[in-house]
Amino acid sequence: MTQLLSPDFFKATYDELKNDLERRSRDNEICKHCTEKDVASIFKPNPNVPSISEITKPHGRLNDLPARKQCPFCRVICHLMERGAGDNCCGDCRSCYSPKENPDVHIDLRISPQPHRRVGAVAIFNLPDDRYCSYHIAHGDLHFVHPTQADQFRIREWITTCDSSHASCTEHIRAPNSLFGHGKFALRLIDVELRMIVKSLRPVRYITLSYVWGASANRKFQMIPNPYPEKSRYPPGIEPVDRQIPDMMFGRLSRTFEDLICFARRLGERYIWVDAICIPQNEPDILIHQLGLMDQVYFHGVCNIVSLTSGVEDGLPGTSSASPRNTKQLIEQFPDGSRIATPLWELYPIIQYAPWITRGWTLQEHLLAKRSVFFTPNEAIFVCKQMSAKESWRYPRTAADVEPNDKAERWYEYNTPLPSGPCVNSTGPDLTSTLSTIVQMDTSRQLTYASDKYRASKV
């Protein structure tokens, strides 16, 4: 049964984390080395300023780091050197070097802040044997992240903001009449309340899913005659289909599908669309017809949920009690109230190696959706044409924050909004460049069936 979490569930954790931070920050004082570097100003929240040039300066004796207990920046550096970032960030951030190993070593720090990206880097040099350590540092307007569950209230707020305020995300929306109706080709959806496949005679809100199958062998579902055909069981304008999936009715779908059902209910959305379930694979005429409507299916969805795991048995981290995440982030606070923290995964290293980035269908699913929510191992990340948002950010990053060097095709590396924004709706060189990028991205991806290459790119 779905556990519907209340706002108080998240507030209690955020209050606990806030109280712990305030307790640790009461006697904070920036050390002389950090004062010389003006570290507090370097990491002060200001996403609208250009990237500050990196600086390299001495940082004293290595074994003095643990003794600078009142300096929030040194505490973060010492924590990362002793423990690394673990599974919360990339490989470089996992390296460890105890300050006690070589007490007389004098180290240099190279700080590379990037305020507009809200993540910088710190490298420690002059370690024995020409070693060095390098770590990402999160900074800016940081928000506490719940350690086990994705905050559906913040995600719902991002969706609502986009729906009500972003002209470029909604300007070309037409009534999706061709998707719904009485005919055999009408779009099929999953009713997450009844756990049944249904048809809607009228436009309704629904969530889509972008995923890869992975090693799961169960790509076909057993179908049985609908045991509950009475129309009185369903909302007005909703009709059941004749055949249903018993595994769905009894909560036995693959973990990712079950997590999506759970999280849709948490978001307050009743309908979801999953291609493997909602497109009848044994009815070729309906299959071909609906493949030709994929642009409309993804475009008219409330949002596109993206699974970055290696397969459907791995779930969506933080979306249900069965798929908890394990987010650990140390946040420290400067005397002026600004914050820095140990890093969480950026989209770039996750997407770069995720099977999702290699598959042909997932490209068009992402580009055609108005907005997407990516579930990483540590937090949920939202992107649309006009903003990007993370659970670890207090405020979203808007298109106005994007710098000229933030390449559209590498949007996931630069924490920028979707590359399918205003440039896709333009003409001339910008449109040509955008289309060229899309073609390059498409041709580098794989499809299980060669015949799908034309279908995936056609939509």
Side-chain angles (χ1 to χ4, degrees):
M1 183 159 179
T2 300
Q3 182 184 11
L4 299 179
L5 306 178
S6 69
D8 289 340
F9 172 84
F10 294 99
K11 184 178 183 301
T13 299
Y14 297 153
D15 286 346
E16 182 180 344
L17 293 171
K18 180 182 178 182
N19 292 337
D20 177 65
L21 176 61
E22 290 179 348
R23 176 186 57 78
R24 290 185 286 107
S25 303
R26 285 183 192 134
D27 300 321
N28 276 359
E29 183 178 341
I30 301 176
C31 72
K32 67 175 184 178
H33 298 284
C34 291
T35 300
E36 291 172 358
K37 300 178 186 65
D38 200 10
V39 167
S41 295
I42 290 175
F43 291 110
K44 197 173 184 64
N46 191 356
N48 297 317
V49 301
S51 297
I52 301 172
S53 299
E54 65 183 28
I55 61 172
T56 302
K57 289 188 176 182
H59 204 68
R61 285 161 42 112
L62 181 61
N63 73 329
D64 285 345
L65 271 178
R68 301 174 200 161
K69 297 180 179 179
Q70 292 179 305
C71 180
F73 182 75
C74 289
R75 283 205 300 266
V76 169
I77 297 301
C78 189
H79 175 92
L80 288 170
M81 290 193 72
E82 290 182 336
R83 308 179 190 181
D87 293 333
N88 292 287
C89 200
C90 62
D92 287 345
C93 293
R94 299 181 188 184
S95 61
C96 300
Y97 190 95
S98 173
K100 299 177 183 178
E101 288 186 29
N102 291 276
D104 295 325
V105 171
H106 288 255
I107 59 173
D108 288 343
L109 251 59
R110 183 178 69 199
I111 302 175
S112 306
Q114 295 177 308
H116 72 294
R117 289 178 61 183
R118 304 185 189 181
V119 60
V122 174
I124 299 99
F125 292 97
N126 289 348
L127 298 175
D129 302 321
D130 294 325
R131 290 183 59 187
Y132 74 95
C133 295
S134 181
Y135 306 101
H136 288 109
I137 299 288
H139 60 93
D141 290 302
L142 297 176
H143 192 285
F144 296 112
V145 179
H146 195 280
T148 63
Q149 299 297 312
D151 189 337
Q152 73 263 24
F153 300 101
R154 299 196 68 208
I155 296 173
R156 186 189 303 163
E157 181 182 347
W158 300 334
I159 294 171
T160 301
T161 297
C162 178
D163 223 10
S164 60
S165 307
H166 295 171
S168 68
C169 294
T170 57
E171 61 184 346
H172 296 295
I173 291 183
R174 302 183 304 274
N177 296 326
S178 60
L179 295 178
F180 303 97
H182 292 270
K184 65 181 290 189
F185 297 113
L187 188 69
R188 303 182 182 197
L189 300 168
I190 299 169
D191 184 327
V192 300
E193 298 288 340
L194 299 176
R195 301 185 72 93
M196 306 282 281
I197 305 173
V198 299
K199 290 182 181 179
S200 179
L201 310 182
R202 53 182 171 79
V204 295
R205 292 170 60 91
Y206 62 91
I207 293 173
T208 58
L209 176 68
S210 183
Y211 66 100
V212 296
W213 273 103
S216 175
N218 184 24
R219 298 195 182 196
K220 293 185 178 181
F221 302 96
Q222 177 191 3
M223 305 290 288
I224 62 171
N226 186 355
Y228 307 108
E230 303 86 5
K231 293 185 178 180
S232 59
R233 293 176 57 92
Y234 304 88
I238 301 295
E239 290 186 349
V241 299
D242 294 335
R243 300 184 67 78
Q244 298 291 335
I245 300 174
D247 282 347
M248 182 169 68
M249 297 167 61
F250 297 105
R252 299 195 299 255
L253 293 174
S254 297
R255 185 70 263 152
T256 295
F257 300 154
E258 289 292 339
D259 285 349
L260 179 63
I261 290 173
C262 175
F263 198 71
R265 294 194 64 194
R266 288 183 179 181
L267 282 176
E269 301 293 344
R270 181 156 186 170
Y271 302 102
I272 62 175
W273 184 89
V274 178
D275 57 358
I277 296 175
C278 297
I279 299 179
Q281 306 296 313
N282 59 345
E283 300 184 52
D285 54 341
I286 299 179
L287 172 65
I288 293 173
H289 180 269
Q290 295 206 345
L291 285 177
L293 295 176
M294 288 300 93
D295 57 334
Q296 296 187 50
V297 171
Y298 280 94
F299 185 71
H300 289 292
V302 173
C303 69
N304 182 39
I305 299 294
V306 180
S307 170
L308 295 175
T309 57
S310 57
V312 294
E313 299 298 340
D314 297 325
L316 295 167
T319 57
S320 73
S321 57
S323 296
R325 63 193 182 193
N326 184 26
T327 302
K328 298 177 181 179
Q329 186 176 39
L330 172 67
I331 297 180
E332 294 288 0
Q333 186 166 284
F334 291 113
D336 65 0
S338 58
R339 298 173 180 176
I340 57 173
T342 54
L344 297 180
W345 277 105
E346 294 288 298
L347 265 183
Y348 170 61
I350 300 177
I351 286 185
Q352 188 179 25
Y353 299 107
W356 180 87
I357 199 69
T358 68
R359 307 306 297 170
W361 284 109
T362 58
L363 171 64
Q364 53 99 0
E365 292 163 3
H366 170 63
L367 292 178
L368 293 171
K370 296 193 295 288
R371 55 191 76 97
S372 295
V373 181
F374 294 80
F375 284 90
T376 76
N378 305 117
E379 63 178 330
I381 300 176
F382 173 97
V383 287
C384 70
K385 293 181 181 181
Q386 290 192 224
M387 78 177 196
S388 57
K390 299 182 178 185
E391 288 183 86
S392 59
W393 291 351
R394 188 176 301 176
Y395 305 110
R397 184 183 181 193
T398 67
D401 301 328
V402 179
E403 291 194 341
N405 292 331
D406 290 354
K407 299 178 181 179
E409 68 270 21
R410 301 293 289 275
W411 55 272
Y412 48 83
E413 181 177 359
Y414 293 97
N415 289 330
T416 59
L418 284 176
S420 54
C423 61
V424 169
N425 301 323
S426 64
T427 58
D430 286 342
L431 179 61
T432 302
S433 175
T434 300
L435 292 177
S436 175
T437 295
I438 291 174
V439 170
Q440 291 176 26
M441 294 166 70
D442 179 61
T443 54
S444 67
R445 294 189 174 215
Q446 306 167 7
L447 287 157
T448 303
Y449 304 104
S451 59
D452 283 344
K453 174 63 73 172
Y454 173 71
R455 292 173 178 170
S457 60
K458 182 175 180 291
V459 298

